[in-house]
Amino acid sequence: KAVGSAKRQLLYQFLSESLLVAVIAFVISIFLVWMFLPVFNEIAEKKMVILWSNPFFWSIAILFTFVTGLVAGAYPAFYLSSFKPIRVLKGATPTGGFGRIPRKVLVIAQFTVSIVLIIGVIVVFKQIDFSENRPVGYNRNGLITIANRTQDIHNHFDAVKKELIDAGAIVEMAESHSPSTDVWLGLDGFDWRGEDPNSQASFGAIMVSHDFGKTVGWNFLKGRDFSKEYASDSAAFILNEAAAKFMGFKNPIGEIITLKFGSSEKTSYTVIGVIKDMLMESPYESVSPSVFFLNRNRSNFETIRLSPATDTRSALSKIETVFKKYAPASPFEYKFVDAEYAKKFGDEKRTGKLAVVFAVLAVFISCLGIFGLAAFTSAQRTKEIGVRKVVGASIFNLWALLSKEFIVLVFVSFLLAAPIAWYFMNKWLNNYEYRAVISWWVFVVTCLGA
């Protein structure tokens, strides 16, 4: 300005430099996206691609880059170009007073976003851990299921089971209509003593064979399991804990429940046992009231308890041999129950992994911001730092002096971020019936980490 530059020329120079930096950043970002997109797709289980030949994609990308360059260059362009050259040449600080406010606001905004994401990551994984450690009411270890694609195994069930036990491959085997990690049938035609006439109850209905409970490892609260010694068990119910509570039975054993199944007449069933809730559906919801009853005509799955005395690979090989003997046309496909159960946490784990990625990026950007502010501040205070060192200030004294301002900024960010994070994460947790609580230590750890 002292040698004749107009304000318009300075605006053009600042903005053009900012746009040039934005364009370079855009080129680098396209390369980084191309390089890391396969990793992102693997974490998110997506199949996203860069739309190289799509003009709309490039138009939006270039427009975004242009706007970013203008916004980034606007502050120095309009603020710095407005200084009076005579004041600057005399040594007046051009960036004091109002100049410090935007920098502090940016640092606070960056750390606020980072802290919100960090709290979000902790809460997501806390919810996953809370649900994974939830009691499931049976033993998943060493349990496999095999879908019946034909009736061959069902028709030779007793022979198959005997051969597998004799071979030492299994300890128990049973059939069921639903897999042990899901409920495929819901019925609402139940009547019982003391029923609320206005209730419209729907119960999970799981049709099983004898020894299903022994196979999965039921935990009985009252009564007994199905037994081949009792012919009357063909008209018996075993209730889960949720069903017994819903029906209001103080002592359910011996109670009569009638069921109208489809268009058939009502059939009476006697309650012979109550088991602890067996978690078969979502681990984030309460267990549905369910009844178990004998019906081998609807057997879709074989549930098998592998022998702990036999190597898993060897046991599966023996099972395959026997299954191929009785069902040669059916492929031998099995699923481990614990692996199927683990899939129920897939969405939340993906959310957590992506949140970690974005949190790391946000923290990195925030650290760049605070590093820039620290470098700028220390450069402005070079003379002050020199004088303090001359009169005996230590490195620790200078570190504390320069850090106080940043600690205050980060603490302000935490005060802003904590209620924001609590609101959104509490809202997210409300999507789950069985959910963790947001503990106070989450905020303390995040604050200290920041």
Side-chain angles (χ1 to χ4, degrees):
K1 293 187 79 169
V3 296
S5 292
K7 183 176 181 179
R8 177 176 55 80
Q9 292 173 303
L10 293 174
L11 286 173
Y12 174 78
Q13 180 170 341
F14 276 121
L15 291 175
S16 60
E17 288 176 356
S18 179
L19 285 171
L20 179 61
V21 171
V23 169
I24 294 171
F26 171 67
V27 173
I28 295 173
S29 69
I30 286 290
F31 171 75
L32 291 175
V33 169
W34 172 77
M35 188 168 61
F36 288 108
L37 193 57
V39 179
F40 178 83
N41 283 335
E42 184 177 349
I43 295 174
E45 295 188 10
K46 302 289 184 183
K47 293 182 179 179
M48 299 176 67
V49 295
I50 299 177
L51 306 175
W52 298 108
S53 59
N54 190 319
F56 180 75
F57 165 76
W58 290 108
S59 299
I60 293 295
I62 293 170
L63 177 63
F64 186 79
T65 303
F66 182 76
V67 171
T68 301
L70 289 180
V71 172
Y75 170 71
F78 290 96
Y79 184 63
L80 296 179
S81 65
S82 63
F83 293 137
K84 302 297 182 184
I86 189 68
R87 293 186 68 248
V88 176
L89 292 173
K90 283 183 177 181
T93 304
T95 54
F98 176 77
R100 286 194 293 268
I101 295 176
R103 289 191 293 274
K104 291 180 178 180
V105 169
L106 284 173
V107 169
I108 290 172
Q110 288 171 345
F111 265 90
T112 299
V113 173
S114 298
I115 291 170
V116 168
L117 285 170
I118 292 169
I119 293 174
V121 168
I122 295 174
V123 172
V124 168
F125 282 105
K126 192 170 183 288
Q127 169 67 3
I128 294 172
D129 182 68
F130 181 74
S131 300
E132 282 186 325
N133 292 322
R134 178 182 181 181
V136 295
Y138 67 104
N139 183 9
R140 301 191 305 267
N141 296 326
L143 203 62
I144 66 170
T145 58
I146 301 174
N148 286 332
R149 300 185 181 276
T150 67
Q151 291 297 300
D152 295 326
I153 300 299
H154 172 73
N155 294 336
H156 300 89
F157 178 82
D158 292 333
V160 170
K161 180 177 178 180
K162 184 178 184 305
E163 284 196 34
L164 291 175
I165 292 176
D166 291 343
I170 72 170
V171 293
E172 200 54 77
M173 177 175 170
E175 295 183 305
S176 62
H177 173 260
S178 305
S180 54
T181 53
D182 206 351
V183 177
W184 283 11
L185 182 63
L187 299 175
D188 55 9
F190 294 89
D191 291 307
W192 63 90
R193 183 177 60 85
E195 178 190 7
D196 183 354
N198 296 319
S199 69
Q200 296 181 348
S202 179
F203 291 77
I206 300 96
M207 292 172 274
V208 300
S209 67
H210 291 91
D211 299 327
F212 179 81
K214 291 180 183 178
T215 304
V216 299
W218 273 345
N219 295 307
F220 272 87
L221 298 174
K222 294 180 180 180
R224 62 175 178 84
D225 204 344
F226 297 116
S227 174
K228 293 180 180 179
E229 296 179 4
Y230 297 93
S232 59
D233 280 2
S234 60
F237 273 161
I238 290 179
L239 309 180
N240 68 354
E241 195 175 358
K245 287 180 180 178
F246 185 86
M247 292 178 174
F249 293 142
K250 291 183 179 179
N251 184 16
I253 307 304
E255 290 285 350
I256 304 299
I257 300 174
T258 60
L259 169 62
K260 184 177 181 181
F261 192 54
S263 59
S264 61
E265 295 293 327
K266 282 192 174 183
T267 305
S268 295
Y269 292 84
T270 303
V271 178
I272 62 170
V274 178
I275 61 169
K276 282 187 177 181
D277 286 335
M278 181 177 170
L279 185 58
M280 302 177 71
E281 298 176 284
S282 172
Y284 301 109
E285 298 176 3
S286 58
V287 176
S288 303
S290 301
V291 299
F292 297 82
F293 58 102
L294 296 173
N295 188 334
R296 289 196 60 200
N297 295 324
R298 302 282 295 275
S299 299
N300 296 320
F301 292 92
E302 305 296 336
T303 302
I304 299 173
R305 170 74 60 188
L306 300 178
S307 173
T310 305
D311 175 72
T312 300
R313 183 176 296 178
S314 175
L316 290 172
S317 177
K318 292 176 181 178
I319 295 171
E320 182 178 11
T321 300
V322 175
F323 269 57
K324 285 292 185 181
K325 174 182 174 181
Y326 288 95
S330 298
F332 180 69
E333 296 175 347
Y334 60 89
K335 293 180 180 178
F336 283 94
V337 171
D338 53 359
E340 290 301 296
Y341 183 79
K343 289 180 181 178
K344 295 177 182 289
F345 301 94
D347 290 343
E348 286 69 26
K349 286 186 175 180
R350 278 193 298 275
T351 300
K353 288 178 181 178
L354 290 174
V356 168
V357 172
F358 290 123
V360 169
L361 287 173
V363 169
F364 176 69
I365 293 170
S366 300
C367 289
L368 287 179
I370 209 166
F371 174 76
L373 183 59
F376 180 79
T377 302
S378 59
Q380 278 195 315
R381 302 172 70 173
T382 301
K383 289 183 180 179
E384 177 191 348
I385 291 171
V387 171
R388 287 178 180 274
K389 291 197 74 173
V390 168
V391 297
S394 66
I395 295 294
F396 178 82
N397 295 140
L398 296 174
W399 170 75
L401 175 71
L402 295 172
S403 296
K404 281 190 296 186
E405 179 183 1
F406 307 132
I407 291 173
V408 170
L409 293 178
V410 173
F411 188 69
V412 171
S413 300
F414 172 76
L415 294 179
L416 292 173
I420 296 172
W422 182 88
Y423 172 78
F424 284 106
M425 295 316 299
N426 191 59
K427 194 172 181 180
W428 180 75
L429 286 172
N430 284 335
N431 293 321
Y432 305 102
E433 194 171 342
Y434 189 86
R435 57 182 176 269
V437 295
I438 305 178
S439 307
W440 59 269
W441 63 261
V442 172
F443 297 96
V444 174
V445 169
T446 306
C447 182
L448 292 174

Short mmCIF file of all heavy atoms in Angstrom, two decimals, residues 236-267:
data_model
loop_
_atom_site.label_atom_id
_atom_site.label_comp_id
_atom_site.label_asym_id
_atom_site.label_seq_id
_atom_site.Cartn_x
_atom_site.Cartn_y
_atom_site.Cartn_z
N ALA A 236 -47.98 -79.74 25.87
CA ALA A 236 -47.37 -79.00 26.99
C ALA A 236 -46.65 -77.77 26.48
O ALA A 236 -46.17 -77.74 25.34
CB ALA A 236 -46.42 -79.90 27.76
N PHE A 237 -46.56 -76.76 27.34
CA PHE A 237 -45.84 -75.52 27.05
C PHE A 237 -44.69 -75.37 28.03
O PHE A 237 -44.82 -75.71 29.22
CB PHE A 237 -46.75 -74.30 27.21
CG PHE A 237 -47.54 -73.94 25.98
CD1 PHE A 237 -48.67 -73.13 26.09
CD2 PHE A 237 -47.18 -74.37 24.72
CE1 PHE A 237 -49.41 -72.78 24.98
CE2 PHE A 237 -47.91 -74.03 23.60
CZ PHE A 237 -49.03 -73.23 23.73
N ILE A 238 -43.59 -74.85 27.54
CA ILE A 238 -42.55 -74.28 28.41
C ILE A 238 -42.51 -72.79 28.12
O ILE A 238 -42.39 -72.37 26.96
CB ILE A 238 -41.18 -74.94 28.14
CG1 ILE A 238 -41.20 -76.39 28.64
CG2 ILE A 238 -40.08 -74.17 28.85
CD1 ILE A 238 -39.90 -77.14 28.39
N LEU A 239 -42.67 -71.98 29.15
CA LEU A 239 -42.71 -70.53 29.00
C LEU A 239 -41.34 -69.94 29.30
O LEU A 239 -40.59 -70.48 30.12
CB LEU A 239 -43.73 -69.91 29.96
CG LEU A 239 -45.15 -70.47 29.99
CD1 LEU A 239 -45.98 -69.70 31.02
CD2 LEU A 239 -45.80 -70.39 28.63
N ASN A 240 -41.05 -68.84 28.65
CA ASN A 240 -39.87 -68.10 29.11
C ASN A 240 -40.32 -67.15 30.22
O ASN A 240 -41.51 -66.96 30.48
CB ASN A 240 -39.17 -67.36 27.96
CG ASN A 240 -39.98 -66.21 27.38
OD1 ASN A 240 -41.14 -66.00 27.75
ND2 ASN A 240 -39.39 -65.47 26.46
N GLU A 241 -39.35 -66.57 30.89
CA GLU A 241 -39.65 -65.73 32.06
C GLU A 241 -40.55 -64.56 31.70
O GLU A 241 -41.46 -64.19 32.45
CB GLU A 241 -38.32 -65.23 32.64
CG GLU A 241 -38.41 -64.65 34.02
CD GLU A 241 -37.04 -64.29 34.57
OE1 GLU A 241 -36.04 -64.53 33.86
OE2 GLU A 241 -36.98 -63.77 35.69
N ALA A 242 -40.33 -63.97 30.52
CA ALA A 242 -41.13 -62.83 30.09
C ALA A 242 -42.60 -63.22 29.91
O ALA A 242 -43.51 -62.45 30.26
CB ALA A 242 -40.57 -62.26 28.78
N ALA A 243 -42.85 -64.41 29.35
CA ALA A 243 -44.23 -64.87 29.15
C ALA A 243 -44.92 -65.12 30.48
O ALA A 243 -46.11 -64.77 30.68
CB ALA A 243 -44.24 -66.14 28.31
N ALA A 244 -44.20 -65.74 31.44
CA ALA A 244 -44.79 -66.00 32.76
C ALA A 244 -45.16 -64.70 33.46
O ALA A 244 -46.23 -64.60 34.08
CB ALA A 244 -43.81 -66.82 33.60
N LYS A 245 -44.29 -63.69 33.35
CA LYS A 245 -44.59 -62.39 33.97
C LYS A 245 -45.76 -61.72 33.27
O LYS A 245 -46.63 -61.13 33.92
CB LYS A 245 -43.35 -61.50 33.91
CG LYS A 245 -42.26 -61.91 34.87
CD LYS A 245 -41.06 -60.97 34.75
CE LYS A 245 -39.95 -61.38 35.71
NZ LYS A 245 -38.76 -60.49 35.57
N PHE A 246 -45.78 -61.79 31.95
CA PHE A 246 -46.85 -61.14 31.19
C PHE A 246 -48.22 -61.75 31.54
O PHE A 246 -49.22 -61.03 31.66
CB PHE A 246 -46.58 -61.28 29.69
CG PHE A 246 -47.57 -60.54 28.83
CD1 PHE A 246 -47.39 -59.20 28.53
CD2 PHE A 246 -48.70 -61.17 28.33
CE1 PHE A 246 -48.30 -58.51 27.74
CE2 PHE A 246 -49.61 -60.50 27.55
CZ PHE A 246 -49.41 -59.16 27.25
N MET A 247 -48.26 -63.06 31.69
CA MET A 247 -49.52 -63.73 32.01
C MET A 247 -49.93 -63.56 33.46
O MET A 247 -51.07 -63.84 33.82
CB MET A 247 -49.41 -65.22 31.68
CG MET A 247 -49.30 -65.50 30.18
SD MET A 247 -49.11 -67.26 29.82
CE MET A 247 -49.18 -67.28 28.03
N GLY A 248 -48.99 -63.08 34.28
CA GLY A 248 -49.33 -62.81 35.68
C GLY A 248 -49.40 -64.04 36.56
O GLY A 248 -50.03 -64.00 37.62
N PHE A 249 -48.74 -65.12 36.14
CA PHE A 249 -48.78 -66.35 36.93
C PHE A 249 -47.78 -66.26 38.09
O PHE A 249 -46.59 -66.01 37.88
CB PHE A 249 -48.44 -67.58 36.07
CG PHE A 249 -49.45 -67.89 35.02
CD1 PHE A 249 -49.06 -68.34 33.76
CD2 PHE A 249 -50.82 -67.75 35.28
CE1 PHE A 249 -49.99 -68.66 32.79
CE2 PHE A 249 -51.75 -68.05 34.30
CZ PHE A 249 -51.35 -68.50 33.05
N LYS A 250 -48.26 -66.49 39.33
CA LYS A 250 -47.36 -66.59 40.46
C LYS A 250 -46.70 -67.97 40.48
O LYS A 250 -45.53 -68.11 40.80
CB LYS A 250 -48.11 -66.33 41.77
CG LYS A 250 -48.58 -64.88 41.93
CD LYS A 250 -49.25 -64.67 43.28
CE LYS A 250 -49.68 -63.21 43.44
NZ LYS A 250 -50.35 -62.98 44.73
N ASN A 251 -47.49 -68.98 40.17
CA ASN A 251 -46.97 -70.35 40.05
C ASN A 251 -47.49 -70.94 38.76
O ASN A 251 -48.56 -71.55 38.71
CB ASN A 251 -47.40 -71.19 41.24
CG ASN A 251 -46.77 -72.58 41.19
OD1 ASN A 251 -45.81 -72.82 40.46
ND2 ASN A 251 -47.34 -73.52 41.95
N PRO A 252 -46.74 -70.77 37.65
CA PRO A 252 -47.26 -71.15 36.33
C PRO A 252 -47.42 -72.66 36.13
O PRO A 252 -48.20 -73.07 35.27
CB PRO A 252 -46.20 -70.60 35.37
CG PRO A 252 -45.36 -69.68 36.17
CD PRO A 252 -45.41 -70.18 37.58
N ILE A 253 -46.68 -73.48 36.88
CA ILE A 253 -46.68 -74.92 36.63
C ILE A 253 -48.09 -75.48 36.84
O ILE A 253 -48.71 -75.28 37.90
CB ILE A 253 -45.68 -75.64 37.56
CG1 ILE A 253 -44.29 -75.00 37.42
CG2 ILE A 253 -45.64 -77.12 37.21
CD1 ILE A 253 -43.75 -74.96 36.03
N GLY A 254 -48.58 -76.16 35.81
CA GLY A 254 -49.90 -76.76 35.87
C GLY A 254 -51.00 -75.88 35.30
O GLY A 254 -52.14 -76.33 35.14
N GLU A 255 -50.70 -74.63 35.00
CA GLU A 255 -51.71 -73.73 34.42
C GLU A 255 -52.07 -74.20 33.00
O GLU A 255 -51.22 -74.75 32.29
CB GLU A 255 -51.19 -72.29 34.36
CG GLU A 255 -51.04 -71.61 35.72
CD GLU A 255 -52.37 -71.21 36.32
OE1 GLU A 255 -53.40 -71.29 35.62
OE2 GLU A 255 -52.39 -70.82 37.50
N ILE A 256 -53.32 -73.97 32.62
CA ILE A 256 -53.81 -74.37 31.30
C ILE A 256 -53.87 -73.14 30.40
O ILE A 256 -54.47 -72.11 30.76
CB ILE A 256 -55.19 -75.03 31.39
CG1 ILE A 256 -55.15 -76.23 32.33
CG2 ILE A 256 -55.67 -75.46 30.00
CD1 ILE A 256 -54.20 -77.34 31.91
N ILE A 257 -53.27 -73.25 29.23
CA ILE A 257 -53.31 -72.18 28.23
C ILE A 257 -53.91 -72.77 26.96
O ILE A 257 -53.50 -73.85 26.52
CB ILE A 257 -51.91 -71.63 27.94
CG1 ILE A 257 -51.28 -71.05 29.21
CG2 ILE A 257 -51.94 -70.56 26.84
CD1 ILE A 257 -49.83 -70.62 29.04
N THR A 258 -54.89 -72.08 26.39
CA THR A 258 -55.48 -72.55 25.15
C THR A 258 -54.93 -71.74 23.98
O THR A 258 -54.62 -70.55 24.12
CB THR A 258 -57.01 -72.44 25.18
OG1 THR A 258 -57.38 -71.07 25.36
CG2 THR A 258 -57.59 -73.29 26.30
N LEU A 259 -54.84 -72.42 22.86
CA LEU A 259 -54.28 -71.78 21.66
C LEU A 259 -55.10 -72.17 20.45
O LEU A 259 -55.34 -73.36 20.21
CB LEU A 259 -52.83 -72.21 21.45
CG LEU A 259 -52.17 -71.84 20.11
CD1 LEU A 259 -52.11 -70.34 19.92
CD2 LEU A 259 -50.77 -72.46 20.01
N LYS A 260 -55.52 -71.15 19.71
CA LYS A 260 -56.18 -71.40 18.43
C LYS A 260 -55.14 -71.15 17.35
O LYS A 260 -54.73 -70.02 17.10
CB LYS A 260 -57.39 -70.50 18.24
CG LYS A 260 -58.16 -70.82 16.96
CD LYS A 260 -59.40 -69.95 16.82
CE LYS A 260 -60.16 -70.32 15.54
NZ LYS A 260 -61.37 -69.49 15.36
N PHE A 261 -54.71 -72.23 16.70
CA PHE A 261 -53.63 -72.18 15.72
C PHE A 261 -54.23 -72.22 14.32
O PHE A 261 -54.71 -73.25 13.87
CB PHE A 261 -52.69 -73.36 15.97
CG PHE A 261 -51.40 -73.25 15.23
CD1 PHE A 261 -50.59 -72.13 15.34
CD2 PHE A 261 -50.97 -74.28 14.40
CE1 PHE A 261 -49.39 -72.04 14.66
CE2 PHE A 261 -49.76 -74.20 13.72
CZ PHE A 261 -48.97 -73.07 13.85
N GLY A 262 -54.26 -71.06 13.65
CA GLY A 262 -54.85 -70.99 12.31
C GLY A 262 -56.36 -71.19 12.38
O GLY A 262 -57.06 -70.61 13.21
N SER A 263 -56.86 -72.03 11.51
CA SER A 263 -58.31 -72.28 11.44
C SER A 263 -58.73 -73.47 12.30
O SER A 263 -59.90 -73.84 12.32
CB SER A 263 -58.73 -72.52 9.98
OG SER A 263 -58.03 -73.63 9.45
N SER A 264 -57.78 -74.08 13.01
CA SER A 264 -58.10 -75.26 13.81
C SER A 264 -58.84 -74.86 15.08
O SER A 264 -58.90 -73.68 15.46
CB SER A 264 -56.82 -76.01 14.16
OG SER A 264 -55.96 -75.18 14.93
N GLU A 265 -59.39 -75.87 15.75
CA GLU A 265 -60.08 -75.64 17.02
C GLU A 265 -59.04 -75.30 18.09
O GLU A 265 -57.85 -75.61 17.97
CB GLU A 265 -60.85 -76.89 17.42
CG GLU A 265 -62.00 -77.24 16.48
CD GLU A 265 -63.12 -76.20 16.52
OE1 GLU A 265 -63.35 -75.63 17.61
OE2 GLU A 265 -63.74 -75.95 15.47
N LYS A 266 -59.52 -74.70 19.17
CA LYS A 266 -58.62 -74.36 20.27
C LYS A 266 -58.08 -75.63 20.92
O LYS A 266 -58.81 -76.58 21.15
CB LYS A 266 -59.34 -73.51 21.31
CG LYS A 266 -59.49 -72.05 20.90
CD LYS A 266 -59.94 -71.20 22.06
CE LYS A 266 -59.95 -69.71 21.67
NZ LYS A 266 -60.31 -68.85 22.82
N THR A 267 -56.78 -75.61 21.20
CA THR A 267 -56.13 -76.74 21.85
C THR A 267 -55.62 -76.30 23.21
O THR A 267 -55.08 -75.19 23.36
CB THR A 267 -54.94 -77.24 21.00
OG1 THR A 267 -55.40 -77.54 19.68
CG2 THR A 267 -54.31 -78.48 21.62
#
